[in-house]
Amino acid sequence: EPEVTQTPSHQVTQMGQEVILRCVPISNHLYFYWYRQILGQKVEFLVSFYNNEISEKSEIFDDQFSVERPDGSNFTLKIRSTKLEDSAMYFCASSDTGWNQPQHFGDGTRLSIL
Amino acid sequence: DQQVKQNSPSLSVQEGRISILNCDYTNSMFDYFLWYKKYPAEGPTFLISISSIKDKNEDGRFTVFLNKSAKHLSLHIVPSQPGDSAVYFCAANTNSGYALNFGKGTSLLVTP
């Protein structure tokens, strides 16, 4: 069964450094998403991406964050200058249409900021 | 802001019995609802969904019920199996947005 893959599974970074989290969405899907889950809290929406542009973003997704689809298969989340509070599980998801269709999630990248 | 609430953090059920997981929501604009299952160290796995035009959707052992007037949905698992032990998340979105709003999850333990 097709799946969303994320790399790396765990990323440790010094505060203030840039980090790029990578995702390969399901191949025929057109909508891509990033979510995060801080330890002990609920899964929170960050951003959705369609047709090479951001279609929706949350308040969390400030100027420190950016997303990109650099080629036909990868979808990346960049955090420019990491803070301690960016430590979380980051999940990538994809769906074939934007509405009334399930989003399929990867296994996540655990980001630890030191 | 908790638009989707799962008020039971945990539930324990015997194998073979019914598991009922509950979810309440506050946003009347939500019109699509989903249940996800999550094992440790894995991402949420889609289980079943329901559109607001329906009040029930069934897929094998899993049935989701939606009560729009009460802003409540539930997931029934019959019969429960030990492999069903996981955290279950309720999620919802509106037809004007892409973001899924998640509940905090209910940890289900199915004992032999």
Side-chain angles (χ1 to χ4, degrees), chain A residues 1-2 4 26 29 33 92-96 102-106, chain B residues 36 44 46:
Chain A
E1 185 173 323
V4 175
I26 295 173
H29 284 183
Y33 315 87
C92 175
S94 68
S95 64
D96 55 2
Q103 296 175 19
H104 298 273
F105 286 76
Chain B
Y36 286 85
F46 169 70

Side-chain angles (χ1 to χ4, degrees), chain A residues 31 33 35 37 40-45 48 50 55-56 89 91 98-108, chain B residues 1-3 31-32 34 36 38 41-44 46 49 51 89 93-100 102-104:
Chain A
Y31 292 79
Y33 315 87
Y35 291 80
Q37 186 179 28
Q41 298 187 22
K42 64 175 186 170
V43 176
E44 301 173 290
F45 170 77
S48 63
Y50 169 70
S55 44
E56 186 180 354
M89 279 294 285
F91 294 106
W99 287 289
N100 286 12
Q101 287 293 320
Q103 296 175 19
H104 298 273
F105 286 76
D107 284 341
Chain B
D1 98 11
Q2 279 246 60
Q3 298 187 68
D31 67 348
Y32 183 61
L34 310 91
Y36 286 85
K38 187 180 181 303
E42 293 185 12
F46 169 70
S49 63
S51 163
F89 293 98
N93 78 345
T94 70
N95 63 8
S96 61
Y98 300 94
L100 288 181
F102 280 83
K104 286 189 171 182

Side-chain angles (χ1 to χ4, degrees), chain B residues 36-67:
Chain B
Y36 286 85
K37 177 170 78 171
K38 187 180 181 303
Y39 294 118
E42 293 185 12
T45 299
F46 169 70
L47 268 180
I48 191 168
S49 63
I50 188 166
S51 163
S52 60
I53 61 173
K54 295 185 173 182
D55 55 17
K56 177 182 172 181
N57 189 25
E58 194 170 350
D59 184 1
R61 296 186 298 116
F62 302 92
T63 303
V64 56
F65 295 91
L66 176 62
N67 182 334

Side-chain angles (χ1 to χ4, degrees), chain A residues 13-57:
Chain A
T13 302
Q14 291 287 333
M15 188 172 60
Q17 295 296 305
E18 176 184 285
V19 67
I20 297 176
L21 309 182
R22 303 180 191 279
C23 170
V24 179
I26 295 173
S27 62
N28 62 340
H29 284 183
L30 301 177
Y31 292 79
F32 315 114
Y33 315 87
W34 285 100
Y35 291 80
R36 78 173 185 192
Q37 186 179 28
I38 295 171
L39 190 63
Q41 298 187 22
K42 64 175 186 170
V43 176
E44 301 173 290
F45 170 77
L46 294 178
V47 66
S48 63
F49 191 85
Y50 169 70
N51 200 26
N52 280 320
E53 59 182 32
I54 290 173
S55 44
E56 186 180 354
K57 61 182 182 179

